[in-house]
Amino acid sequence: MAVTGTAVAVAISLPGPAGANGAAGPAGTAGATGAAGATGAAGTSAGGTSDGATGQGEAGAGAAATGAAPPPATVVPAAAEGEKGVGSDPLTDDELARAGTLALTPPATTAQQDVEGGRGPQHLGTDLADPVEGDPTRRAEVRLYDYARDELIIRTVNLDTGKVEKSGSQRGVQPSAHPEELREALELILASPLGKGVKEDYQDATGNKLTSTAQLWFNGDVYRTYREKNVPAQLTRCGEHRCVRLVTKVLNGAWIDTRNLIVDLSARTVTRVG
């Protein structure tokens, strides 16, 4: 397994005194005079003088000469979020929590399992449901996955009445993976014999032992067999099963290649491809 470190340098040009005055470089002083300078120019052409223009020019030149920094930016705090949104507003945190609770109302969920084998289905995501014409009621669509039956469950809950208005299930449909599923996949990799190479690469890169998923940055998504040229026999049920592929790296460090390790979360197995 290969360890590849990638460093990216980003150059950021901060505005200097001249740039802050409306123009870059030596032309900044001219920019500082602005409209007042234009008035001064008109007075001079008529045979008079313009103290306003002169004062503005001297002030601009002085700021440039002393290298004075522009004043710091002011950060305006975000407006406080209410308990309920309006119309097509994104679901608030309170609405997300309420929708999740309503969608997991027993007794139906007690026989279902999450990615770790615990009671209740695995939460995948929650979105604002499409509005019903003429009805301002806000509804949420909650996506769940039952690992006991390998089923995707979609429930529509009414956030006003607190009732589940619609519930359906499908097999063979695999939405994008939830972060909790990706973490469990990494746990399975590290616990499997195939995780030995990952641990060795981590120690080579850092000089330390890899003992926890918290030591790695990771991301990934569902492994889809129809995109692959060669699918090992152990992975032919992916699609019916929930399978994922990860990319990982040392925190603030080198990449560790785990793209050839596919985790079948339904069967809780790890298979090497390629």
Side-chain angles (χ1 to χ4, degrees):
M1 301 182 71
V3 181
T4 305
T6 304
V8 180
V10 180
I12 302 176
S13 298
L14 297 177
N21 287 323
T29 304
T33 61
T39 303
T44 303
S45 63
T49 61
S50 174
D51 293 339
T54 304
Q56 291 287 342
E58 290 175 353
T66 58
T74 301
V75 178
V76 179
E81 183 180 71
E83 292 184 4
K84 295 178 61 177
V86 178
S88 59
D89 289 348
L91 293 169
T92 66
D93 290 344
D94 286 342
E95 288 177 318
L96 288 170
R98 177 170 167 76
T101 300
L102 294 172
L104 294 176
T105 302
T109 59
T110 56
Q112 297 165 347
Q113 291 183 352
D114 64 14
V115 68
E116 296 179 350
R119 179 178 295 181
Q122 175 65 44
H123 178 257
L124 299 183
T126 302
D127 295 308
L128 182 68
D130 292 334
V132 177
E133 187 174 355
D135 183 357
T137 302
R138 283 165 65 84
R139 296 170 174 84
E141 186 177 270
V142 184
R143 297 182 305 281
L144 308 164
Y145 196 85
D146 177 15
Y147 275 90
R149 295 175 56 84
D150 273 309
E151 286 184 342
L152 172 67
I153 302 166
I154 300 178
R155 292 186 177 138
T156 302
V157 299
N158 186 314
L159 294 171
D160 286 348
T161 65
K163 294 181 178 180
V164 177
E165 296 184 337
K166 187 190 302 183
S167 181
S169 61
Q170 294 175 290
R171 289 186 176 180
V173 180
Q174 301 295 346
S176 294
H178 189 274
E180 290 176 0
E181 294 178 300
L182 298 179
R183 182 175 296 280
E184 182 65 15
L186 185 53
E187 293 276 9
L188 291 172
I189 288 175
L190 297 183
S192 77
L194 294 177
K196 180 181 178 182
V198 178
K199 295 175 181 178
E200 290 174 347
D201 286 353
Y202 182 88
Q203 187 155 12
D204 288 343
T206 67
N208 300 314
K209 289 186 177 182
L210 176 59
T211 59
S212 168
T213 58
Q215 296 169 263
L216 293 171
W217 175 94
F218 56 92
N219 204 345
D221 207 349
V222 171
Y223 171 78
R224 306 189 188 278
T225 56
Y226 61 84
R227 295 178 179 173
E228 307 297 323
K229 291 183 178 179
N230 299 303
V231 179
Q234 304 95 307
L235 300 178
T236 54
R237 296 190 68 185
C238 290
E240 175 190 350
H241 283 187
R242 195 144 170 81
C243 304
V244 297
R245 165 183 270 153
L246 299 180
V247 289
T248 59
K249 68 189 295 286
V250 176
L251 291 176
N252 301 315
W255 290 95
I256 296 179
D257 195 353
T258 54
R259 293 172 298 174
N260 63 341
L261 299 178
I262 307 303
V263 181
D264 183 334
L265 290 169
S266 300
R268 300 185 67 80
T269 59
V270 182
T271 301
R272 189 190 300 277
V273 297

